[in-house]
């Protein structure tokens, strides 16, 4: 297969800093779109993957799955996009397209879904490489259209942080009469607040400190509940229809379960691992409450979200960086020292 | 308030055997129905409550919340029942009737619901006493109608074991195309199989041994999966829409989560306590799977179930005992030595 060498930023081992090297992209096949990458958001998963925190990384790895760019070439069979279109690519670049999940627009749950990086490129027989690169070649079915009114840097994090919170908000039917709470105010949490607010819900943030109160309200939260204050927690007992829990480390879910209304659901989107301390069933039984997981979103749903952002002029709050600062950005991200997402201006790679 | 002394069977301390003594029932008030108790099912909760396993028992206690009988007196305002009607009483005898849960026919989640025993009788200012007694007086709103074609002893366990499994089957919309699994084959489990089968679902039982295979199939199970056999568990990965988990002690839910389909839910109805070993979020996230709790059912839903049983001629599989054998029955119940529910013939108390 004909390939094209392009500049990228990645790493060859878990311990090494990210640095520049070249990777191969496939030439566009019949249904492919070649995208000049303009911006790429920086997700916690990028860091976990680069450092092999999940034990499944194949090196070299080029992270990045919050990609926004411009179409520069299309395959002969492409009907959805033309050269010059503003497009986006999220966490998925392929799936089997024939299983029940794919048929139901839930490609993210397809057992054969191909991650934008760390997946397996069937054309090249190599691991896929992500958006910390000059260009990317993606089947048009996995390319999204970006509404023209949106800021291209500010919309990038919507492709992962946004859709990860949007999908459960929509699945659990959040709307005008919903009472939503968000646990954790980072990349995911700040999008959850903005999106739930735009859907018309009453939105609360659970926080361990009062520091975030002003920011949360500016993002659209109606209330901030200090989770370490017993009285404040008691005041919201049985209140919420849905809680979006974005915290990426093990923490006690039991106090939050108590704040769910009958039939309420706490959705874990940030933490992979055992629920330590253990979940206690009694408050779940006494109110038909659920704890659920949710993973990013499907392609149609991601397009729906981009269109929603276009309509409501919603962006992520971001700090734009050059690719050469990615290693510093990773260290700052680990300390939650970013409001609320780093986005790489890919001009810096091309210069 | 005028009261009536009636014979009952109960206990005055956690260590004592159950024995006969007299209790006071209120005289029927305007909306009350007085019921001559014909049969009363024996639930695990009866034993837990009698022995103060949950630390909230007030003595003396008279257990029993699977009550079937005949109306012998009605208050002047009663419109739903008349003398001679066959009726039933389940786990609830009162609720606030004004909260959102009550308004939504979810009286079981009303913060002020009154248990059939161990609740608080607002008329008498005493704890409520259950169905191990000659008669009971209950507000007509909490009295259920028993279809005439049903066997009165066999229907008693439907009032708790039945509704506890019916409510989640209905809430999670089990029907002809559903794939249901049941964990545990006891009082609750055997009803779950019968009811899911009657709803047209494909029903599987998870069991740790092959002993129960024949029985499960006779009850309506399409398949029995031996949960200790790795290959059998692998064969049902991603298969089930809903799992009704009736096991009353701490056990590992993680292997069952893996057998849920996308959007599937495991409903815990049998176990009160911390989920030990800890639930792991990864398989929940990779398929939007939920773990939920569910508590008995509301009054309207219980009537719906009795009518469904009438239509499909569904009963519990029972062993009828005399009240004098209740202490032996409790010991056998602890060893799961009953297929599948003891029901007391209350003639034995009246003799």
């Amino acid at each position: 297969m004909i390939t094209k060498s392009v500049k990228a930023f990645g790493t060859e081992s878990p311990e090494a800093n990210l640095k520049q090297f070249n990777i191969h992209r496939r030439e566009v096949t019949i249904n492919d779109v070649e995208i000049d990458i303009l911006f790429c958001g920086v997700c916690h998963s990028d860091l976990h993957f680069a450092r092999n925190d999940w034990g499944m990384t194949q090196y070299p790895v080029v992270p990045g799955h919050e990609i926004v760019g411009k179409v520069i070439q299309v395959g002969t069979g492409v009907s959805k996009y033309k050269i010059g279109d503003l497009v986006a690519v999220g966490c998925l670049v392929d799936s089997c397209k024939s299983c029940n999940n794919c048929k139901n627009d839930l490609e993210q749950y397809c057992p054969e879904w191909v991650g934008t990086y760390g997946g397996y490129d069937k054309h090249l027989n190599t691991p896929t490489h992500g958006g910390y690169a000059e260009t990317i070649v993606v089947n048009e079915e996995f390319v999204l259209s970006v509404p023209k009114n949106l800021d291209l840097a500010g919309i990038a994090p919507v492709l992962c942080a946004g859709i990860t919170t949007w999908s459960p908000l929509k699945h659990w039917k959040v709307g005008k009469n919903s009472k939503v709470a968000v646990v954790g105010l980072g990349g995911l949490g700040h999008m959850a607040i903005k999106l739930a607010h735009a859907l018309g819900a009453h939105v609360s943030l659970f926080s361990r400190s009062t520091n975030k109160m002003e920011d949360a309200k500016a993002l659209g939260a109606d209330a901030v509940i200090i989770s370490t204050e017993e009285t404040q927690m008691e005041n919201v007992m049985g209140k919420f229809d849905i809680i979006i829990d974005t915290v990426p480390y093990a923490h006690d879910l039991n106090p939050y379960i108590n704040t769910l209304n009958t039939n309420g659901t706490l959705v874990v989107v940030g933490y992979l691992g055992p629920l330590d301390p253990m979940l206690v069933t009694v408050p779940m039984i006494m109110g038909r409450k659920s704890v659920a997981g949710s993973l990013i979103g499907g392609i149609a749903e991601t397009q729906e979200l981009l269109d929603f952002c276009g309509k409501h002029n919603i962006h992520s709050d971001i700090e734009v960086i050059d690719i050469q600062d990615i290693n510093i950005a990773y260290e700052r991200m680990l300390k939650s020292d970013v409001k609320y997402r780093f986005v790489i201006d890919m001009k810096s790679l091309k210069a």
Side-chain angles (χ1 to χ4, degrees), chain A:
Chain A
M1 165 143 231
I2 305 168
T3 62
K4 197 185 231 179
S5 178
V6 302
K7 283 194 269 186
F9 232 81
T11 180
E12 284 165 333
S13 78
E15 301 80 18
N17 272 340
L18 273 69
K19 62 171 189 184
Q20 190 178 320
F21 52 74
N22 275 37
I23 56 168
H24 291 273
R25 297 292 193 194
R26 66 177 186 256
E27 284 286 359
V28 293
T29 66
I30 182 166
N31 297 117
D32 280 339
V33 170
E34 184 180 15
I35 301 161
D36 176 36
I37 301 175
L38 300 175
F39 294 98
C40 186
V42 180
C43 175
H44 262 88
S45 302
D46 296 355
L47 182 155
H48 288 306
F49 214 82
R51 298 185 178 180
N52 198 21
D53 290 340
W54 297 328
M56 59 193 217
T57 306
Q58 284 190 278
Y59 293 92
V61 61
V62 174
H65 56 205
E66 296 181 341
I67 300 168
V68 174
K70 193 175 274 195
V71 175
I72 51 173
Q73 202 190 159
V74 295
T76 51
V78 168
S79 60
K80 291 173 71 183
Y81 300 103
K82 59 182 192 307
I83 290 170
D85 283 352
L86 292 173
V87 293
V89 176
C91 305
L92 303 171
V93 290
D94 207 354
S95 71
C96 82
K97 286 284 174 192
S98 61
C99 71
N100 278 335
N101 288 323
C102 285
K103 285 180 194 162
N104 293 320
D105 290 325
L106 296 168
E107 299 89 355
Q108 76 272 33
Y109 302 126
C110 169
E112 294 174 32
W113 73 275
V114 178
T116 301
Y117 59 82
Y120 183 76
D121 186 320
K122 280 175 270 188
H123 299 276
L124 294 179
N125 292 321
T126 61
T128 53
H129 290 308
Y132 298 4
E134 290 180 290
T135 62
I136 192 166
V137 177
V138 179
N139 182 301
E140 67 169 330
E141 298 297 327
F142 290 83
V143 175
L144 301 143
S145 178
V146 177
K148 288 203 176 69
N149 62 308
L150 291 171
D151 174 74
L152 297 185
I155 201 67
V158 164
L159 278 305
C160 175
I163 187 64
T164 298
T165 56
W166 175 259
S167 184
L169 290 172
K170 292 296 283 184
H171 181 70
W172 277 278
K173 299 186 172 34
V174 165
K176 279 198 198 319
N177 296 316
S178 308
K179 290 200 163 36
V180 176
V182 175
V183 190
L185 184 60
L188 272 68
H190 97 289
M191 286 308 300
I193 292 174
K194 286 189 180 211
L195 296 172
H197 174 72
L199 285 165
H202 183 280
V203 188
S204 300
L205 174 73
F206 284 112
S207 178
R208 285 186 303 182
S209 74
T210 51
N211 299 341
K212 295 179 175 174
M213 198 162 302
E214 219 168 292
D215 282 10
K217 294 200 169 171
L219 291 164
D222 299 283
V224 176
I225 301 135
I226 306 304
S227 56
T228 51
E229 294 279 341
E230 213 170 301
T231 322
Q232 292 197 31
M233 291 299 279
E234 273 167 21
N235 285 343
V236 292
M237 286 271 284
K239 175 164 180 170
F240 301 111
D241 302 310
I242 180 167
I243 298 173
I244 307 286
D245 188 327
T246 71
V247 173
Y249 48 79
H251 58 291
D252 191 357
L253 301 190
N254 294 297
Y256 301 118
I257 305 282
N258 288 327
T259 72
L260 285 172
N261 196 356
T262 308
N263 294 327
T265 302
L266 184 150
V267 190
V268 175
V269 295
Y271 169 63
L272 304 173
L275 290 177
D276 183 15
M278 289 177 279
L279 209 56
V280 180
T281 63
V282 182
M284 298 169 71
I285 290 173
M286 304 295 165
R288 197 158 57 194
K289 299 169 186 177
S290 301
V291 172
S294 182
L295 178 71
I296 47 176
I299 296 300
E301 197 170 39
T302 309
Q303 187 61 60
E304 176 196 61
L305 170 58
L306 283 166
D307 296 343
F308 182 85
C309 289
K311 191 173 164 196
H312 295 268
N313 201 34
I314 295 172
H315 298 88
S316 182
D317 286 14
I318 60 165
E319 182 176 336
V320 177
I321 59 165
D322 287 343
I323 188 76
Q324 292 76 16
D325 294 328
I326 188 68
N327 295 300
I328 298 163
Y330 275 12
E331 292 311 312
R332 285 184 52 199
M333 190 164 61
L334 277 177
K335 291 182 286 191
S336 300
D337 175 23
V338 53
K339 283 182 179 177
Y340 284 95
R341 202 73 153 180
F342 290 112
V343 172
I344 309 163
D345 185 342
M346 298 308 300
K347 266 202 319 282
S348 54
L349 180 63
K350 297 164 197 170

